[in-house]
């Protein structure tokens, strides 16, 4: 009886080892060419591209903000609070599961309250505050950062 239990334990152990080896073999790390911009480096062509991608959303967001503040002037305080909330959360550098990026934090609640277009403007203001006062990003990366940063979908 004892040899049967021992045989079962050895078999279970071997299955676990084989399964782990198979898992590591299948999930072998591979070279990927993902997008991560090292500090201060963005070619001029890409900088122009990212600015061109960002500017339409910024101007539509300004138009939406003007409409919101004309129709409901009492929401100016809430807009300021949404911007402050976004700034505080983005300055904390909250780590995430897939890496350390706090770019989109705080924009989700503002997008729920006011929509994504006004948050693109507030997010860009927050990004410039971070650039000028906290020196967190390089100015050459602005277009790229702004085109991705205010997106509450990330």
């Amino acid at each position: 009886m004892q040899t049967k239990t021992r045989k079962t334990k050895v078999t279970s152990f071997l299955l676990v080892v084989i399964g782990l080896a198979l898992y590591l073999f299948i999930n072998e790390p591979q070279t990927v060419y993902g997008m991560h911009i090292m500090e201060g480096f963005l070619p001029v062509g890409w900088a122009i591209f990212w600015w061109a991608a960002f500017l339409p959303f910024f101007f539509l967001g300004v138009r939406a903000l003007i409409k919101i503040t004309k129709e409901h002037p009492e929401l100016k305080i809430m807009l300021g609070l949404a911007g402050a909330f976004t700034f505080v959360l983005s300055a904390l550098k909250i780590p995430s599961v897939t890496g350390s990026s706090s770019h989109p934090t705080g924009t989700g609640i503002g997008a729920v309250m006011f929509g994504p277009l006004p948050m693109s403007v507030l997010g860009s203001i927050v990004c410039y505050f971070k650039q000028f006062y906290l020196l967190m990003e390089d100015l050459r990366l602005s277009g790229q950062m702004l085109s991705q940063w205010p997106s509450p979908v990330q």
Side-chain angles (χ1 to χ4, degrees):
M1 182 86 173
Q2 219 174 17
T3 54
K4 188 174 184 181
T5 307
R6 185 176 184 162
K7 197 176 200 180
T8 307
K9 286 183 180 181
V10 170
T11 306
S12 297
F13 177 74
L14 285 175
L15 284 175
V16 168
V17 169
I18 291 171
L20 183 62
L22 185 64
Y23 172 78
L24 292 174
F25 179 74
I26 291 172
N27 292 317
E28 177 184 14
Q30 298 176 3
T31 303
V32 292
Y33 300 101
M35 188 177 119
H36 181 6
I37 300 172
M38 69 182 184
E39 295 299 321
F41 175 75
L42 188 63
V44 174
W46 281 107
I48 292 169
F49 169 78
W50 285 115
W51 271 102
F54 161 71
L55 286 176
F57 295 101
F58 182 79
F59 290 125
L60 289 172
V62 168
R63 194 171 77 180
L65 275 176
I66 291 171
K67 182 181 175 186
I68 288 172
T69 54
K70 278 186 181 178
E71 291 177 2
H72 306 285
E74 67 275 2
L75 289 180
K76 289 179 184 177
I77 294 173
M78 291 299 290
L79 283 166
L81 285 174
F85 180 73
T86 303
F87 177 76
V88 168
L89 282 185
S90 67
L92 289 177
K93 294 292 183 199
I94 300 169
S96 65
V97 175
T98 59
S100 180
S101 175
S102 62
H103 293 299
T105 45
T107 57
I109 189 82
V112 168
M113 292 184 338
F114 303 110
L117 290 176
M119 282 311 292
S120 67
V121 176
L122 289 177
S124 62
I125 292 169
V126 167
C127 190
Y128 279 119
F129 269 103
K130 285 175 61 177
Q131 286 176 335
F132 290 120
Y133 296 116
L134 300 179
L135 301 174
M136 290 184 142
E137 284 106 11
D138 192 344
L139 288 176
R140 290 172 285 183
L141 302 178
S142 295
Q144 187 269 338
M145 298 300 280
L146 294 174
S147 64
Q148 296 178 2
W149 196 80
S151 171
V153 180
Q154 290 182 349

